[in-house]
C-alpha cells in the first residue's frame, strides 16, 4: 500500500513508554483512530497493513505466538475482546426499584402513623391491626413486582448466553485453529468467510470478493467492498460475500461497537403513562383524605373545646382530655388510611404479571413489568421494514423465461417446469448454478444450506425449486474463466467447457445492460430466434412492470463461443441470447396487512422507517397498508434539511421514511414524543437502532435478527421477529390498561364512599 502514489510522511505518533517496554511500537488509541476513522493517510504513514503488523509484533502468515507471557503483555496493553456488560441486578435491587412507587410511599407513611397511633390508643396487638394490614399489602405488591422482573431478567440472560457462544478460525503459531471470539487479542490473524460476524476491529490482509454488511452499525443497506485499497473491518458487521484474512487491531471496549455499548448505559428510566396517572390519583386522593382528616380533627377538637366552655373548664386540662385528643387524631388517621387505595397497586401488579406471562406464550419476552401497559397506551409504532414487515429472505417471485411471464411460488415451480422445453431448462439451470458467487452446501446437521449474497441465494433457491442439482451441474462443466460481479459493469460472466466439447459463455446482471448485449432470444418453444423490435419492447415492458412492483430484476443470457477462446481473452460483451428475466423481492410477512389494519382501527398509527430506497419502501408500505393516499413518503436526507417549523407540519403526515440514518429515526421519535405528546413504540434489530429504542416509550427488539446492543436497549424482545406479534403485545397492553382503569374507577368510588361515611360518622359523633 505504501508504494502507490506520492511518498508518505512517516508517522510522528509519540509511542507511550509502557507500550515500548512491552515490545510494541503503536498505541491502542492510535490503532482505534486509524480503523474507526477509516484513515487511509494515517495507515500509510505507519507503513500500511504490513507496517501495523510489524509494530504489533505479529506475523501475517504465522500469527501470534502462544507464549503465555507475551499474550499477557499484549492483553495488558491492548485489552481483551470483552465488552463491559452492565452487572446483573440482584433480586434486592428489583425490590428497591419496586418500592419507589408513589402510591406505595403514601401507603407506607399511612402505615407508620397508623401503627404509632393505634398502639398508643388501643395497645399491642389490637392497635397494630390496621397498620400491619397495610404493611402486608405493600410487601405483597413489592415482592410480586420484583419477582416478575427478576425472573424475566434471568430469562433474558439465558437467551443471550446461547447466542454469545461464537468461535472463529485463527492462525497462531502457524497453525489454523478454532477459538472463542473472547480470546482474541490485537495482532491475531482471523479467517473470515460468508456469514461470519467480524469479531473485532481490524484490517484486511488478503482475500477475494469481500462484501461487508455494515447496516447493523451504520444503517446503510448497501454492502461495502473491502480490499487492500479500503481495508477497514469493524466489529459487529457481517461478511456478506467472499472470504479474507484479517489482522485484529482493536478489541473490546475500544472498538466502535464497544463504545456504542458504553453510551447506552447512560440515561434514566421514564415513568410509564399509567404510572403517571396512578401517581397523580394517589396524590390527589391523599390530599383529599388529608383535607377531610384535618376538617374531622378540627370538628372533633371544636366539639371538645365547646363542651369544656359550657362546663367552665376551658383552662383545666387533664390526662383524660389528652387521651380523647389522641383518639380524635386516630380517627383522622383512619380517614387518611381509608382514602388511600391500598388494593390498587396490588391489582395493577397482578394484572401486569399475568399479562407478562401470557405475552411470553405469544412470542414476546417482556423485560420490564411496566412495559406491558405502556404498549397498551401506544399511539404510534415506528417499524423497520426488513425482517419485521418482510421475511428478510429474498425470493424470486416473478419470471419471464422464454418470453413467457409467470408468478413463482413453491406450488407453481412445477408449472414452469412443464412449460419449458428440456433444452431451455438445461440452459437455465446451467446458467443459474455455474454463473454464481454463491454455493449450496450441507451443514453439520445434514440440512441443505445456501451461502452467498441475498440476491445470489434467491436465484439458487429458484434453481433448486425447478428440480436442479447444484453439485451435478457444477461437476458437469469445466470453468475456463470467471469475471466476478462489479458495480461498474453491473454484471457477472463466466465461460464453461461443455461435457461434449465446445465453449459457452453465461452472463447475469442488471436487466437493461444484459438485454442491450443480446441480439437473439429463446422463444416459447425453446428455439433461438432474432431479438426483433417487438420482442425487445415486450422484454423492456416486463422489466418496467417488475420494477414498478419493487422487484429487483436480473437478466440471464448465454453465447456459444469458438474453440479458439483462451482464458487470457476477455469474455465477449455482445452477441448473447437472452434466456429470461427474474424479479426478486423480500416478500411481506403473512398477516402483516391485517395487523396494520387492526392497529389503524385501534387508533395506532404505523410508520415505516427503513434504510432501503424510497420506491421499494413505498411499494412495500402500500402492500402492507401503511402508506395511504393522504400520507407522505420522505427520504432521510430531505427530512434532515427541514426546519423546525416545517417538521411540525410534516411529521404528523409522514408514513414512510426511506434512506434513513439512525439519527433521523431518533429525531422522528423525539419529536413524536416531546412535540406531539405521542406514546411511541419503536422496532429495531441493528446496533444503529439502539439510540431510537432507548429514546422511545417502549423499545421492541428483534430476537432472531437483533444484535445484542439492540436487545439490551429494548423493553420487549419479539422472539419471532414478526410484526403481528407486536400487535398481539399491543392488544394485551390495551386489555390490561382498560381493565386497570376500570378497577381504578371502582376502587376510587369505594374509597370516596368510605371517606364520606367515616367523615359523617366522626362529625355526628363529635
Amino acid at each position: 500500500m505504501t508504494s502507490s502514489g506520492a511518498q508518505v510522511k512517516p508517522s510522528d505518533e509519540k509511542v507511550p513508554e509502557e507500550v515500548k517496554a512491552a515490545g510494541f511500537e503503536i498505541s491502542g488509541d492510535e490503532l482505534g483512530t486509524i480503523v474507526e476513522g477509516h484513515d487511509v493517510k494515517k495507515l500509510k504513514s505507519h507503513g500500511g497493513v504490513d507496517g501495523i503488523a510489524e509494530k504489533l509484533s505479529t506475523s501475517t502468515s504465522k500469527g501470534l505466538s502462544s507464549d503465555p507471557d507475551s499474550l499477557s503483555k499484549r492483553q495488558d496493553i491492548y485489552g481483551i475482546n470483552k465488552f463491559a456488560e452492565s452487572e446483573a441486578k440482584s433480586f434486592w435491587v428489583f425490590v428497591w426499584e419496586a418500592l419507589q412507587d408513589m402510591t406505595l410511599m403514601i401507603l407506607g407513611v399511612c402505615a407508620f402513623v397508623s401503627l404509632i397511633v393505634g398502639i398508643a390508643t388501643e395497645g399491642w396487638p389490637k392497635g397494630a391491626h390496621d397498620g400491619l394490614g397495610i404493611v402486608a399489602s405493600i410487601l405483597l405488591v413489592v415482592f410480586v413486582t420484583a419477582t416478575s422482573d427478576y425472573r424475566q431478567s434471568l430469562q433474558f440472560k439465558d437467551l443471550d448466553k446461547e447466542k454469545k457462544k461464537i468461535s472463529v478460525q485463527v492462525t497462531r503459531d502457524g497453525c489454523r485453529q478454532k477459538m472463542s471470539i473472547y480470546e482474541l487479542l490485537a495482532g491475531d490473524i482471523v479467517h473470515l468467510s460468508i456469514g461470519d460476524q467480524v469479531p473485532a476491529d481490524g484490517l484486511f490482509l488478503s482475500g477475494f470478493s469481500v462484501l461487508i454488511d455494515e447496516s447493523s452499525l451504520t444503517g446503510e443497506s448497501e454492502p461495502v467492498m473491502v480490499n487492500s485499497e479500503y481495508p477497514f473491518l469493524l466489529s459487529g458487521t457481517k461478511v456478506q460475500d467472499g472470504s479474507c484474512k484479517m489482522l485484529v487491531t482493536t478489541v473490546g471496549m475500544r472498538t466502535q461497537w464497544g463504545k456504542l455499548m458504553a453510551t447506552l448505559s447512560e440515561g434514566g428510566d421514564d415513568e410509564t403513562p399509567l404510572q403517571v396517572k396512578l401517581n397523580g390519583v394517589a396524590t390527589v386522593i391523599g390530599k383529599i383524605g388529608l383535607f377531610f382528616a384535618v376538617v374531622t380533627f378540627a370538628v372533633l377538637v371544636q366539639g371538645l373545646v365547646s363542651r369544656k366552655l359550657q362546663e367552665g373548664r376551658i383552662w383545666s386540662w387533664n390526662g383524660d382530655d389528652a387521651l380523647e385528643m389522641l383518639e380524635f387524631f386516630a380517627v383522622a388517621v383512619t380517614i387518611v388510611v381509608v382514602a388511600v387505595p391500598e388494593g390498587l397497586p396490588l391489582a395493577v401488579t397482578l394484572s401486569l404479571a399475568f399479562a407478562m406471562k401470557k405475552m411470553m406464550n405469544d412470542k414476546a419476552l417482556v423485560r420490564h413489568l411496566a412495559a406491558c401497559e405502556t404498549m397498551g397506551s401506544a399511539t404510534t409504532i415506528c417499524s423497520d421494514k426488513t425482517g419485521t414487515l418482510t421475511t428478510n429472505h429474498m425470493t424470486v417471485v416473478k419470471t419471464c423465461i422464454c418470453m413467457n411471464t409467470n408468478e413463482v411460488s413453491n406450488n407453481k415451480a412445477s408449472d414452469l417446469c412443464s412449460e419449458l422445453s428440456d433444452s431451455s431448462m438445461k440452459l437455465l439451470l446451467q446458467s443459474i448454478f455455474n454463473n454464481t458467487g454463491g454455493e449450496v452446501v450441507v451443514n453439520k446437521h445434514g440440512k441443505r444450506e445456501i451461502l452467498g449474497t441475498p440476491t445470489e441465494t434467491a436465484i439458487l433457491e429458484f434453481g433448486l425449486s425447478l428440480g436442479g442439482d447444484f453439485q451435478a451441474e457444477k461437476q458437469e462443466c469445466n470453468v475456463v474463466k470467471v469475471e466476478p460481479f462489479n458495480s461498474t459493469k453491473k454484471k457477472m460472466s463466466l465461460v464453461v467447457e461443455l461435457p461434449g466439447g465446445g465453449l459457452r459463455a453465461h452472463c447475469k446482471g442488471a436487466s437493461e445492460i444484459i438485454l442491450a448485449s443480446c441480439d437473439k432470444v429463446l422463444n416459447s418453444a425453446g428455439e433461438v430466434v432474432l431479438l426483433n423490435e417487438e420482442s425487445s419492447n415486450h422484454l423492456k415492458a416486463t422489466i418496467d412492470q417488475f420494477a414498478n412492483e419493487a422487484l429487483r430484476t436480473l437478466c440471464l443470457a448465454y453465447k456459444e463461443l469458438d474453440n479458439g477462446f483462451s482464458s487470457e481473452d476477455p469474455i465477449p460483451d455482445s452477441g448473447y441470447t437472452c434466456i429470461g428475466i427474474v424479479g426478486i423481492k423480500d416478500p411481506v410477512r403473512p398477516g402483516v396487512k391485517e395487523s396494520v389494519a387492526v392497529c389503524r382501527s385501534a387508533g395506532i398509527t404505523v410508520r415505516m422507517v427503513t434504510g432501503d430506497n424510497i420506491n421499494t419502501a413505498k411499494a412495500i408500505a402500500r402492500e402492507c397498508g401503511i402508506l395511504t393516499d393522504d400520507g407522505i413518503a420522505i427520504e432521510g436526507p430531505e427530512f434532515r434539511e427541514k426546519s423546525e417549523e416545517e417538521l411540525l407540519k410534516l411529521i404528523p403526515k409522514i408514513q414512510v421514511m426511506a434512506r434513513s440514518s439512525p439519527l433521523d429515526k431518533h429525531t422522528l421519535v423525539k419529536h413524536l414524543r416531546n412535540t406531539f405528546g405521542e406514546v411511541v413504540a419503536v422496532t429495531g434489530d441493528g446496533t444503529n437502532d439502539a439510540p431510537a429504542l432507548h429514546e422511545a416509550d417502549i423499545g421492541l427488539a428483534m430476537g432472531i435478527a437483533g444484535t445484542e446492543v439492540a436487545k439490551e436497549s429494548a423493553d420487549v424482545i419479539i422472539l419471532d421477529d414478526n410484526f403481528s406479534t407486536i400487535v398481539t403485545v399491543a392488544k394485551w397492553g390495551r386489555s390490561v390498561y382498560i381493565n386497570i382503569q376500570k378497577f381504578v374507577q371502582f376502587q376510587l368510588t369505594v374509597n370516596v364512599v368510605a371517606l364520606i361515611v367515616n367523615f359523617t360518622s366522626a362529625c355526628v359523633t363529635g
Side-chain angles (χ1 to χ4, degrees):
M1 283 186 70
T2 53
S3 59
S4 61
Q7 190 153 0
V8 179
K9 186 185 170 188
S11 170
D12 54 1
E13 186 220 0
K14 193 177 179 184
V15 183
E17 287 304 318
E18 65 269 20
V19 175
K20 285 183 180 175
F24 308 114
E25 296 173 50
I26 189 167
S27 67
D29 291 337
E30 179 76 355
L31 286 167
T33 309
I34 293 169
V35 179
E36 197 181 324
H38 298 171
D39 197 331
V40 176
K41 195 175 175 185
K42 195 173 270 192
L43 176 62
K44 287 182 178 179
S45 74
H46 283 283
V49 179
D50 290 332
I52 295 283
E54 198 177 315
K55 290 183 178 186
L56 277 170
S57 300
T58 186
S59 163
T60 54
S61 55
K62 293 184 178 179
L64 295 178
S65 157
S66 296
D67 174 49
D69 289 341
S70 68
L71 292 179
S72 176
K73 281 181 187 174
R74 195 174 290 275
Q75 196 169 299
D76 292 340
I77 298 294
Y78 299 110
I80 55 171
N81 200 32
K82 286 187 179 176
F83 303 114
E85 296 178 7
S86 51
E87 279 186 40
K89 291 181 185 176
S90 73
F91 176 72
W92 299 108
V93 172
F94 286 102
V95 169
W96 173 251
E97 286 175 357
L99 280 166
Q100 307 308 303
D101 186 84
M102 177 67 76
T103 312
L104 294 182
M105 287 178 183
I106 293 171
L107 282 172
V109 172
C110 290
F112 179 71
V113 175
S114 179
L115 276 169
I116 291 172
V117 173
I119 292 168
T121 54
E122 297 181 55
W124 176 269
K126 193 181 176 186
H129 288 170
D130 285 347
L132 289 176
I134 298 171
V135 169
S137 105
I138 291 171
L139 289 175
L140 193 57
V141 170
V142 166
F143 279 97
V144 168
T145 305
T147 304
S148 292
D149 281 355
Y150 182 61
R151 281 179 62 196
Q152 291 302 88
S153 77
L154 292 179
Q155 273 182 310
F156 178 71
K157 290 287 176 196
D158 291 341
L159 188 77
D160 256 12
K161 209 176 280 179
E162 282 305 307
K163 290 200 85 174
K164 286 181 178 176
K165 291 178 181 173
I166 306 166
S167 295
V168 285
Q169 295 280 342
V170 180
T171 296
R172 275 195 187 175
D173 294 323
C175 299
R176 194 158 157 172
Q177 53 194 280
K178 234 180 183 185
M179 191 179 287
S180 164
I181 59 167
Y182 300 117
E183 292 175 32
L184 289 180
L185 296 171
D188 263 319
I189 307 300
V190 176
H191 301 263
L192 298 172
S193 54
I194 293 175
D196 285 347
Q197 183 168 306
V198 180
D201 286 1
L203 296 166
F204 172 92
L205 281 172
S206 61
F208 64 93
S209 309
V210 180
L211 277 178
I212 299 290
D213 176 9
E214 291 189 351
S215 61
S216 64
L217 267 182
T218 64
E220 287 295 325
S221 56
E222 283 300 309
V224 176
M225 180 80 78
V226 173
N227 48 37
S228 54
E229 297 301 313
Y230 182 88
F232 309 107
L233 292 154
L234 297 173
S235 172
T237 58
K238 281 188 177 171
V239 182
Q240 201 176 80
D241 197 11
S243 61
C244 70
K245 272 201 321 183
M246 158 193 168
L247 168 68
V248 174
T249 57
T250 324
V251 291
M253 295 307 289
R254 278 196 169 126
T255 63
Q256 195 171 340
W257 184 286
K259 285 173 184 173
L260 188 58
M261 285 191 81
T263 62
L264 294 175
S265 60
E266 300 160 9
D269 294 328
D270 291 337
E271 288 185 324
T272 70
L274 191 64
Q275 276 177 323
V276 172
K277 283 187 180 179
L278 289 180
N279 289 345
V281 166
T283 307
V284 169
I285 289 182
K287 285 176 181 175
I288 293 170
L290 194 62
F291 169 75
F292 276 100
V294 169
V295 171
T296 304
F297 185 68
V299 168
L300 292 170
V301 170
Q302 187 264 335
L304 176 64
V305 170
S306 298
R307 199 169 67 244
K308 286 180 79 69
L309 270 170
Q310 286 172 357
E311 293 170 1
R313 296 188 300 112
I314 191 64
W315 303 112
S316 171
W317 293 81
N318 55 31
D320 289 341
D321 294 330
L323 199 61
E324 198 171 350
M325 289 279 281
L326 192 60
E327 282 175 4
F328 293 163
F329 186 68
V331 171
V333 168
T334 304
I335 286 174
V336 174
V337 171
V338 166
V340 178
E342 67 273 16
L344 187 57
L346 180 60
V348 170
T349 303
L350 290 175
S351 297
L352 294 179
F354 174 75
M356 191 187 239
K357 197 171 181 184
K358 287 290 182 184
M359 283 189 208
M360 188 66 186
N361 297 338
D362 288 333
K363 304 287 183 190
L365 173 64
V366 181
R367 295 190 62 204
H368 308 294
L369 198 61
C372 297
E373 58 85 6
T374 312
M375 195 62 204
S377 322
T379 55
T380 290
I381 298 174
C382 292
S383 176
D384 268 357
K385 176 182 75 73
T386 309
T388 308
L389 296 169
T390 62
T391 59
N392 196 20
H393 183 81
M394 294 295 264
T395 311
V396 173
V397 292
K398 275 194 170 183
T399 62
C400 179
I401 310 289
C402 298
M403 302 296 285
N404 290 329
T405 304
N406 282 288
E407 284 197 18
V408 178
S409 61
N410 291 337
N411 56 338
K412 287 188 181 176
S414 54
D415 297 349
L416 186 60
C417 293
S418 60
E419 283 179 19
L420 295 177
S421 66
D422 291 345
S423 59
S424 301
M425 179 62 78
K426 181 70 184 165
L427 274 168
L428 177 62
L429 294 177
Q430 192 181 82
S431 177
I432 288 171
F433 291 133
N434 283 289
N435 191 22
T436 178
E439 210 174 334
V440 180
V441 297
V442 176
N443 64 20
K444 60 183 178 185
H445 303 296
K447 288 185 178 177
R448 191 168 65 188
E449 196 175 338
I450 304 172
L451 304 176
T453 62
T455 305
E456 291 284 12
T457 305
I459 295 174
L460 287 173
E461 200 166 34
F462 171 59
L464 293 171
S465 73
L466 295 174
D469 184 330
F470 179 81
Q471 301 300 342
E473 288 290 345
K474 278 279 195 187
Q475 287 162 12
E476 196 174 84
C477 298
N478 231 348
V479 176
V480 176
K481 182 169 184 174
V482 178
E483 284 181 5
F485 179 87
N486 71 55
S487 52
T488 312
K489 287 187 172 181
K490 293 193 175 176
K491 67 175 184 177
M492 176 183 184
S493 309
L494 101 161
V495 175
V496 291
E497 188 182 343
L498 302 171
L503 297 170
R504 184 177 287 157
H506 286 283
C507 74
K508 168 184 77 183
S511 299
E512 298 83 359
I513 291 169
I514 302 298
L515 193 58
S517 66
C518 295
D519 56 14
K520 294 181 281 295
V521 65
L522 288 177
N523 67 12
S524 53
E527 299 160 344
V528 178
V529 294
L530 281 172
L531 184 63
N532 57 26
E533 193 177 344
E534 187 187 340
S535 302
S536 179
N537 289 339
H538 170 73
L539 290 171
K540 283 174 183 173
T542 303
I543 292 167
D544 290 340
Q545 182 201 332
F546 285 9
N548 290 335
E549 293 173 27
L551 305 187
R552 183 180 294 172
T553 62
L554 287 175
C555 186
L556 308 176
Y558 79 97
K559 178 180 182 172
E560 304 291 354
L561 298 179
D562 299 330
N563 284 331
F565 180 85
S566 154
S567 59
E568 303 300 317
D569 299 334
I571 298 175
D573 285 328
S574 59
Y576 282 87
T577 302
C578 177
I579 300 171
I581 294 155
V582 293
I584 302 166
K585 78 181 278 192
D586 184 3
V588 171
R589 280 181 180 273
V592 165
K593 189 172 183 178
E594 293 79 1
S595 298
V596 170
V598 168
C599 285
R600 185 165 278 127
S601 64
I604 300 171
T605 305
V606 181
R607 292 176 166 89
M608 180 199 285
V609 184
T610 177
D612 218 330
N613 73 67
I614 195 155
N615 292 327
T616 305
K618 280 162 77 172
I620 296 290
R622 281 201 183 92
E623 197 176 336
C624 296
I626 291 172
L627 185 59
T628 57
D629 294 336
D630 56 347
I632 290 174
I634 192 171
E635 288 190 317
E638 190 185 339
F639 176 78
R640 260 168 262 160
E641 288 168 10
K642 299 289 181 188
S643 65
E644 287 292 318
E645 292 77 21
E646 288 174 313
L647 285 177
L648 286 175
K649 293 176 187 172
L650 189 69
I651 285 175
K653 295 178 183 176
I654 291 177
Q655 291 176 340
V656 176
M657 192 192 287
R659 288 275 179 237
S660 66
S661 72
L663 188 63
D664 298 331
K665 197 172 188 177
H666 186 266
T667 306
L668 178 65
V669 171
K670 205 169 185 178
H671 274 291
L672 285 168
R673 284 188 72 206
N674 302 339
T675 312
F676 297 97
E678 303 253 14
V679 178
V680 184
V682 171
T683 74
D685 53 13
T687 304
N688 60 303
D689 294 320
L693 289 169
H694 211 52
E695 175 66 32
D697 292 288
I698 183 158
L700 303 155
M702 301 298 115
I704 300 167
T707 63
E708 309 313 316
V709 178
K711 286 189 276 188
E712 283 287 350
S713 306
D715 303 293
V716 178
I717 295 164
I718 307 300
L719 298 174
D720 60 355
D721 289 16
N722 197 336
F723 185 80
S724 301
T725 304
I726 297 169
V727 178
T728 305
V729 172
K731 281 180 184 175
W732 273 111
R734 187 69 65 92
S735 166
V736 167
Y737 195 81
I738 291 167
N739 288 339
I740 289 173
Q741 278 190 319
K742 284 179 180 174
F743 180 78
V744 168
Q745 289 166 358
F746 170 74
Q747 179 82 43
L748 291 183
T749 307
V750 170
N751 280 48
V752 168
V753 170
L755 186 65
I756 293 167
V757 168
N758 274 275
F759 175 68
T760 309
S761 170
C763 290
V764 168
T765 307

